[in-house]
Amino acid sequence: MRRGLENVQEALLECISGVKGRGKSGLSAEQEAQLQQAVAELEADGGVPAPTRSGLLEGRWRLLYTTRPGSASPIQRTFVGTDAFAVYQEILLDAEGDGGARVNNIVQFGGAGVLKVEAEAITDTRPREGFAPRKGQGFPLLGKSATYPPAAKDMRVDFQFDTAAFDLTALPFKIPYPVPFKLLGDETKGWLDITYLSPDGRFRLSRGNKGTLFVLVRDDPPTDRLLAAIMSGANDVQVSELVDAVEAEGGGEASPAQSRAIQGTWRLRWSVQAPNANALQRLAGRGARSFQVVGGAAGPGRLENRLELLPGLRVRASAACSPQGRRRTRVAIDGVFLELFGLRVPLPIKQNEPGYVDWLYLDDNLRITRGNKGSVFVHTREA
């Protein structure tokens, strides 16, 4: 993130740090002016281009501040202005299955339970058959809607609320939220413009169809977002953005190459291969089940890569490995075999000189590495 934008973002967060009711009160006239200036600067930049196509938008966000125009909806007026409740928004644009893309608003009543208001969603790149975005201003009683088009492509999320319920810990069942969504037609529809998304994916500004400005910060860790994106089949650009976000946030083992946490069996979940990657890496990148065993069954100071091509047919590559500093592991492949139901046939794949992997992130269940040829790998622990 450019330092100038980071300073503006920090100034905005400082302005709203003392507000009550997420903007209901607590701002002086000077702070209000500073807030508006900061918002204007961030929105003029926009942050991440085409935010609704970015994996950085995906996940759970915590609401810090919102303006309160007269057109705000009843739920905004009722719950958002109460500090005793936490308010979140889930953006699930890469969701698979019949449900498709979703936007969910969540009010957390401490330990007493939650209210979850759910909506189906579309974007420019995720249309939904039969879904028509909202048109018209609607009934003032339910909140007057703006009708202007988005300022740019791939920045608007159109949605339609379709279900809501209270899920209270004291009750074994959910209580439906008393709004007849199916009878309200366009009044259940709205849109959300992503007017600024920070390059690290941890801060955003949005404006709703009823004129409200929302200031939100990321609530789920980037490691969770990364794994969710991979499992949902997000494209390589989106996953790469999240890999960068995990690396930028830090955390995990401070000296991963020297940590015992690298030992065990790891399954390859995603990779992006360098143009000069070897044949085994390219094969793993095409969807073959790929595992790496470090230490343990592979032996002290050893690792083994295993590609499972078909039942009973696999490729094994064994190597010596040793740490070179805190974040790099030297790897020297010394044997590659094709294995068919236990019968091993040596393959003429040789490593001219030892290679290495750099550790970008490591914890007990997730590791991200970059090879000496530039390929990036995301593994999760199997054992």
Side-chain angles (χ1 to χ4, degrees), residues 30-188:
E30 181 181 0
Q31 288 173 319
E32 178 67 31
Q34 292 173 347
L35 172 62
Q36 292 181 8
Q37 177 63 30
V39 168
E41 290 185 39
L42 293 173
E43 290 187 327
D45 180 272
V48 174
T52 63
R53 298 179 61 182
S54 172
L56 296 175
L57 181 61
E58 195 82 0
R60 182 177 169 109
W61 296 82
R62 179 164 56 92
L63 180 66
L64 297 183
Y65 173 88
T66 175
T67 55
R68 320 203 92 65
S71 58
S73 66
I75 188 170
Q76 288 174 255
R77 294 194 296 266
T78 303
F79 295 117
V80 172
T82 304
D83 285 328
F85 306 150
V87 180
Y88 303 95
Q89 185 174 74
E90 291 178 334
I91 305 287
L92 307 174
L93 300 183
D94 287 326
E96 291 185 325
D98 295 337
R102 308 288 292 179
V103 174
N104 303 323
N105 294 329
I106 300 167
V107 181
Q108 178 78 47
F109 306 116
V114 301
L115 166 64
K116 189 172 185 178
V117 184
E118 304 180 51
E120 61 179 359
I122 64 168
T123 66
D124 289 330
T125 57
R126 298 173 182 83
R128 185 192 296 264
E129 186 177 356
F131 186 105
R134 178 176 182 136
K135 296 180 180 179
Q137 295 182 340
F139 298 112
L141 179 64
L142 297 176
K144 186 177 178 181
S145 176
T147 58
Y148 55 83
K153 186 177 174 62
D154 297 318
M155 68 173 292
R156 176 168 289 183
V157 180
D158 287 282
F159 59 85
Q160 180 172 15
F161 292 116
D162 55 12
T163 185
F166 292 91
D167 189 359
L168 304 178
T169 55
L171 299 176
F173 53 84
K174 296 181 180 180
I175 302 174
Y177 189 64
V179 174
F181 293 114
K182 293 182 179 180
L183 301 179
L184 292 176
D186 258 19
E187 294 304 325
T188 64

Side-chain angles (χ1 to χ4, degrees), residues 244-277:
D244 292 343
V246 172
E247 183 182 8
E249 182 159 289
E253 294 283 339
S255 302
Q258 300 168 348
S259 172
R260 292 182 59 86
I262 68 173
Q263 297 187 25
T265 300
W266 298 86
R267 180 173 179 178
L268 181 66
R269 295 296 183 177
W270 176 87
S271 67
V272 58
Q273 301 294 333
N276 59 342

Side-chain angles (χ1 to χ4, degrees), residues 207-286:
R207 291 186 181 269
N209 60 291
K210 294 182 179 178
T212 308
L213 168 70
F214 301 97
V215 179
L216 306 100
V217 291
R218 175 68 64 182
D219 190 63
D220 49 358
T223 50
D224 288 356
R225 287 181 279 136
L226 172 62
L227 291 176
I230 292 172
M231 298 308 176
S232 68
N235 63 50
D236 287 346
V237 173
Q238 293 174 320
V239 176
S240 294
E241 287 178 336
L242 291 167
V243 166
D244 292 343
V246 172
E247 183 182 8
E249 182 159 289
E253 294 283 339
S255 302
Q258 300 168 348
S259 172
R260 292 182 59 86
I262 68 173
Q263 297 187 25
T265 300
W266 298 86
R267 180 173 179 178
L268 181 66
R269 295 296 183 177
W270 176 87
S271 67
V272 58
Q273 301 294 333
N276 59 342
N278 65 43
L280 290 178
Q281 290 177 339
R282 291 196 300 270
L283 187 59
R286 292 192 180 104

Side-chain angles (χ1 to χ4, degrees), residues 288-366:
R289 283 166 50 90
S290 178
F291 299 86
Q292 185 175 85
V293 180
V294 182
R302 305 283 301 175
L303 65 78
E304 181 183 76
N305 293 325
R306 186 174 75 239
L307 295 179
E308 298 186 352
L309 306 176
L310 294 169
L313 178 63
R314 61 185 58 168
V315 177
R316 294 179 181 268
S318 58
C321 61
S322 58
Q324 288 188 319
R326 296 172 52 244
R327 308 194 75 86
R328 177 169 291 183
T329 296
R330 178 182 183 274
V331 179
I333 297 176
D334 50 26
V336 182
F337 302 88
L338 179 67
E339 184 177 86
L340 178 62
F341 296 108
L343 177 64
R344 285 191 172 192
V345 179
L347 295 178
I349 299 177
K350 297 185 179 297
Q351 187 178 33
N352 295 327
E353 59 183 30
Y356 61 83
V357 292
D358 286 334
W359 295 82
L360 308 184
Y361 181 84
L362 172 69
D363 65 24
D364 288 339
N365 300 301
L366 175 70

